[in-house]
Amino acid sequence: MAGPNILHADLDAFYASAEQLLHPELRGKPIAVGGGVVLAASYDARAFGVRSGMAGSRARALCPNLKFVTGSFSRYQELADEVFTICEDFTPAIERISIDEAFLDVGGSEHLFGPAAVIADRIRSRVRTEVGLPVSVGVASTKFLAKIASQVAKPDGLVVVPPGEELEFLHPLPVGLMWGVGAVTGERLAEMGIHTIGGLAATPDDTLRRMLGRAAGSHLHRLSRNLDPRPVRHLPRAKSVGSQSAFGRKVPTPELVESVTRSLADRIGRRLRAKNNAGRTITVRVRRGDMSSVTRSRTYPHPIAATEAIVRIARALVADALADGPSEISLIAISISNLTAGTALQLELPLGDDSVERPGSDRGRRAWDLDRSVDAVRERYGNKSVRPASLLDERGVPDEFRELAERE
């Protein structure tokens, strides 16, 4: 019997954990994001009974030492994106359902990275090392059960539900863990004497439909028996193409910046050209050693897809981001937006700027031709068949997976 291949990754107490990451002085202390209402509470605060959605006055009464922070939601989005970019190194089949959680289907990746449980463990390790956040992962045969497993795994854990043991794992759990069982539905079920998922499964479908409504009753009854045929719906990013490299805290030497920038540009350029796309806006983000980030972008009149053009522009933007001289950096990210599909190369008369950033110039045309030739060789012989000399020692995910991800 094939093993489970659906993962549910859920960042633990995300907003609060992000604040403690960004502000180390808050680590180990009870904190809450919000003010009048608790939007998120750290596990240190939860130990006192503080919960999301609780009034701030009630939270303070439960935990007199509770510290409220206003939060930085743009930073939260950046950190969450870093986490799920790591997940993209293992599968392109990712369905994000909120800022801090997503489903992954790794069935097509196991021949590259090992069983789903191994993939889940590697994701957790990389998220902890490269981003600094705890993430709980559930592994199961269905989306419903994977989400339940990730809840059981919290905080900062991994739970795998083996095939054939799904109902044995599921039925003793409290019914409140189920999708669709909120406070009102939970009270109705309790009035019926239903407290566990197994109790729900043992209740006739007709009874549940009468008590909870036709659709809700049938839906919960099916889930209680782990009948969930929904696939992981991969929603490809259509607005931009990007990639990032997290490498721990390092001094931003010219050699490091050049190597990382060229590697990312090489990857992005090939993905753009594979779909016959180009973009006018190039954005870079540099994360400093203190976890703060600097973003720089530039928009051009002509859509760009040539690797060398992306390298030159990104290199200049990174230099601008490093102008204040941080002693260490831990991540460089590049993205291209304002995409244009089906781009044709419009040649220019040799009267103006002959730069690679102008696709129609003589130099730009030669860069385009070179990229197309390299792409053709790589398509036939693999990514490593032709590489810039500066990237010969680069280590990354296998060629086969990159090709799979780029075709999605």
Side-chain angles (χ1 to χ4, degrees):
M1 181 180 293
N5 57 21
I6 295 179
L7 278 58
H8 181 259
D10 193 355
L11 290 160
D12 298 321
F14 175 52
Y15 293 164
S17 296
E19 284 296 325
Q20 291 177 322
L21 174 67
L22 298 170
H23 304 284
E25 69 276 9
L26 299 177
R27 294 175 187 171
K29 298 179 180 179
I31 71 165
V33 179
V37 175
V38 175
L39 299 179
S42 68
Y43 282 101
D44 310 284
R46 293 183 185 189
F48 290 88
V50 179
R51 294 292 185 269
S52 299
M54 181 179 288
S57 56
R58 173 64 175 158
R60 291 185 178 91
L62 290 173
C63 182
N65 294 326
L66 183 67
K67 178 177 177 58
F68 272 89
V69 294
T70 56
S72 174
F73 293 97
S74 62
R75 293 304 316 282
Y76 299 160
Q77 186 67 63
E78 290 177 359
L79 289 171
D81 287 347
E82 289 178 28
V83 170
F84 294 112
T85 296
I86 289 173
C87 293
E88 289 173 355
D89 280 348
F90 295 91
T91 175
I94 298 176
E95 179 183 347
R96 286 184 71 170
I97 57 176
S98 70
I99 187 176
D100 58 350
E101 58 179 319
F103 290 107
L104 292 71
D105 186 338
V106 298
S109 305
E110 291 180 311
H111 68 290
L112 297 174
F113 303 110
V118 173
I119 294 174
D121 190 58
R122 291 180 63 182
I123 288 173
R124 293 184 63 246
S125 177
R126 283 190 56 187
V127 169
R128 171 65 78 177
T129 301
E130 298 177 20
V131 184
L133 290 171
V135 59
S136 293
V137 180
V139 184
S141 57
T142 65
K143 291 169 69 172
F144 163 70
L145 195 56
K147 184 171 173 64
I148 292 285
S150 72
Q151 292 176 269
V152 174
K154 289 183 175 293
D156 195 18
L158 169 63
V159 168
V160 180
V161 184
E165 300 179 20
E166 291 90 350
L167 298 185
E168 180 182 349
F169 167 81
L170 182 63
H171 281 176
L173 297 175
V175 72
L177 286 179
M178 293 183 66
W179 253 338
V181 178
V184 174
T185 301
E187 289 177 4
R188 289 182 180 176
L189 292 173
E191 291 170 358
M192 298 167 62
I194 300 173
H195 302 283
T196 66
I197 298 176
L200 184 65
T203 304
D205 185 39
D206 288 346
T207 302
L208 292 175
R209 284 189 288 178
R210 285 196 304 270
M211 295 297 297
L212 304 176
R214 189 177 188 87
S218 293
H219 178 64
L220 290 177
H221 195 244
R222 287 194 299 271
L223 291 182
S224 70
R225 294 174 291 153
N226 194 36
L227 299 177
D228 182 13
R230 295 170 300 173
V232 174
R233 295 180 298 121
H234 172 50
L235 303 175
R237 297 178 180 178
K239 296 183 179 179
S240 65
V241 174
S243 190
Q244 66 181 33
S245 178
F247 37 75
R249 298 182 178 182
K250 292 187 178 181
V251 177
T253 62
E255 293 78 15
L256 173 67
V257 171
E258 174 68 19
S259 175
V260 173
T261 301
R262 186 167 291 278
S263 175
L264 297 177
D266 184 64
R267 196 176 309 163
I268 293 168
R270 188 181 182 201
R271 288 170 58 191
L272 282 171
R273 295 187 297 273
K275 293 191 174 183
N276 200 26
N277 283 337
R280 295 194 303 112
T281 299
I282 298 182
T283 302
V284 304
R285 180 164 60 87
V286 177
R287 188 173 68 194
R288 301 186 180 102
D290 63 2
M291 302 305 294
S292 64
S293 292
V294 181
T295 301
R296 297 288 186 269
S297 66
R298 188 172 298 166
T299 299
Y300 287 79
H302 310 287
I304 292 169
T307 296
E308 191 59 33
I310 300 171
V311 170
R312 283 166 54 103
I313 296 168
R315 185 193 296 137
L317 292 173
V318 170
D320 190 22
L322 296 175
D324 61 352
S327 58
E328 293 180 322
I329 60 175
S330 59
L331 176 142
I332 295 177
I334 303 174
S335 66
I336 298 185
S337 54
N338 282 338
L339 300 183
T340 300
T343 304
L345 188 62
Q346 179 65 51
L347 299 181
E348 302 176 9
L349 293 173
L351 302 175
D353 178 19
D354 184 27
S355 66
V356 72
E357 292 87 347
R358 297 180 66 87
S361 70
D362 183 61
R363 189 175 177 188
R365 178 187 57 76
R366 285 187 277 113
W368 177 264
D369 290 343
L370 175 61
D371 283 335
R372 284 297 192 182
S373 297
V374 171
D375 291 344
V377 173
R378 286 174 167 176
E379 182 66 28
R380 183 169 183 178
Y381 298 107
N383 286 348
K384 295 182 180 180
S385 57
V386 180
R387 312 184 78 190
S390 60
L391 302 182
L392 288 177
D393 294 328
E394 182 191 40
R395 297 181 182 273
V397 300
D399 290 349
E400 296 92 337
F401 179 74
R402 288 212 185 280
E403 291 167 2
L404 171 65
E406 289 165 7
R407 283 198 297 269
E408 290 296 313

